[in-house]
Amino acid sequence: GKGASFTAFVEEHRSTLNMYIRQDKALLHSMAFSPLVALPKLLDFDNKKHYFRSELKRRNAHERHGSMRVNVRREFVFEDSFHQIVLRKPEELKGRLTVVFNGEEGVDAGGLTREWYLTLSKQMLNPDKALFIHSANGLTYQPNPASTIQPDHLKYFKFAGQVVGKALWDEQLLDAHFTLSMYKHMLNQAIEYKDVEAIDPEYFRNLGWMLENDITGILEETFSIVREQFGVMLTIDLKPNGRNLPVTEANKHEYVQLVAEQQLTKGIKEQIEAFKEGFHQLMPPDLICIFTCSELELLMCGLPSIDVEDLRANTEYTGYSRESVQIQWYWQVVESLGQEDLARLLQFVTGTSQVPMDGFKVLRGMNGPQKFNIHRCGDASRLPCSHTCFNQLDLPEYPTQELLRTRLISAIREGFQGFGFS
């Protein structure tokens, strides 16, 4: 119908349309171009970002926001900020933020605000707070299923959501990289079993084996899982009476989906709902959802500074060597990428845009130190794919540099679509 032909037209003329929008930022608010917002995949990130910010301003133009003063002790930034922010109404949260560090009055306010956001996001993720836990690669975080150990944990999650929403509102950056499934929750996107990879790669591999092989007479699972909580083993039913329902070849897909939902949603449902309640006080769900998960990470954390020479010096190869023509083409393509596409490449292969503090030589995977590695695999008609728990890029043996370029860029811009089985 009409919708399909409009989409096809936009896909064909994507770069030209994005160029026009870049030159005249008001176009996305016009009658002719506004339908593009319903096709956010076809809009470039910088154009989306500008639309998002101008639309936020437009929606709030009639409101008058006062100022919000926060007074904190440097060693208790998280606790002091929590008590001063969590009960505020959305209108107050939108006010201009002034941060004062005790005993440091009169210092540059702009710099202090920036420092407050970075310090606060670091402290919020600190394992001692028991709110968030590390994923397998040690770089990204997601809510801790055992956060109930902290008496006011749901109020703290609401506060964490407010902080992330306020940072986006204020166009400030955070030092907080979440797991893919957490970004999906923030954007109200569906969870897939592939998202388990970031949390529990071993379990993800087992689920993959189940899907790819006939399990009749081999596996004796039921629709339940056993979890340890505070030293006690608990059996959790994935559906009513699940512990008495066997998993079979016929129903295994349902089992895998329910396991993923339990791991990534149901097991932390209250925490996610509280976080989203705070987040949506400042970020309208219908507006923030124009971004993909990888773009939301870049919006929150900014573009990383990626040193291509450092990455090249710390990349390993399987099936290729440093001298392989595809590898030479690959690095020529990577050298020509802008910072945004470099960040997307890093997200695609490692699961996050975060660069380790000491450079790529200390990159970690699920089993400890694990350098960025490129494997020769697949046929040249397919896009490259990735295994984030091993920082692994599967690169087919493309016959030309141009084909390698277009396929690699397609894969990293589509973002996170290429998970294969490890």
Side-chain angles (χ1 to χ4, degrees), residues 3-189:
S5 57
F6 176 70
T7 307
F9 172 81
V10 175
E11 275 179 352
E12 192 182 337
H13 301 286
R14 176 183 174 142
S15 56
T16 310
L17 288 167
N18 276 286
M19 187 184 69
Y20 280 127
I21 294 164
R22 204 165 281 124
Q23 287 167 354
D24 181 358
K25 299 285 196 259
L27 279 179
L28 279 175
H29 295 281
S30 69
M31 284 289 286
F33 278 75
S34 60
L36 283 175
V37 179
L39 300 170
K41 268 193 145 169
L42 300 174
L43 286 175
D44 288 349
F45 179 50
D46 61 329
N47 286 331
K48 276 193 219 184
K49 203 160 53 172
H50 189 276
Y51 171 79
F52 165 72
R53 289 182 174 151
S54 61
E55 181 64 10
L56 262 186
K57 286 194 179 80
R58 193 186 68 75
R59 291 185 188 191
N60 291 276
H62 60 284
E63 293 180 19
R64 283 184 67 79
H65 304 130
S67 61
M68 185 171 85
R69 185 182 170 89
V70 178
N71 198 310
V72 295
R73 293 166 295 173
R74 202 167 262 287
E75 59 277 28
F76 300 108
V77 171
F78 181 77
E79 292 78 3
D80 292 350
S81 304
F82 167 75
H83 291 298
Q84 293 171 60
I85 284 176
V86 76
L87 295 174
R88 294 198 188 238
K89 297 182 176 70
E91 295 67 47
E92 294 178 272
L93 291 171
K94 292 171 184 174
R96 182 179 169 78
L97 178 67
T98 307
V99 177
V100 177
F101 283 93
N102 274 13
E104 300 177 38
E105 286 78 356
V107 187
D108 156 44
L112 282 182
T113 301
R114 198 160 55 242
E115 191 183 347
W116 177 78
Y117 273 114
L118 294 172
T119 307
L120 182 55
S121 53
K122 266 205 190 92
Q123 289 189 8
M124 177 172 91
L125 299 175
N126 188 324
D128 296 346
K129 302 274 185 287
L131 296 175
F132 291 90
I133 50 172
H134 272 308
S135 67
N137 67 5
L139 288 173
T140 56
Y141 292 83
Q142 81 153 26
N144 180 1
S147 64
T148 45
I149 196 168
Q150 171 81 264
D152 280 331
H153 73 131
L154 295 181
K155 287 182 184 163
Y156 280 117
F157 276 109
K158 179 184 174 184
F159 168 61
Q162 289 171 318
V163 170
V164 175
K166 176 70 174 155
L168 292 179
W169 179 273
D170 287 345
E171 299 180 24
Q172 292 280 354
L173 300 177
L174 295 171
D175 190 0
H177 294 259
F178 292 132
T179 57
L180 173 60
S181 51
M182 184 63 182
Y183 291 124
K184 282 189 168 184
H185 287 307
M186 292 166 72
L187 296 170
N188 290 333
Q189 291 179 4

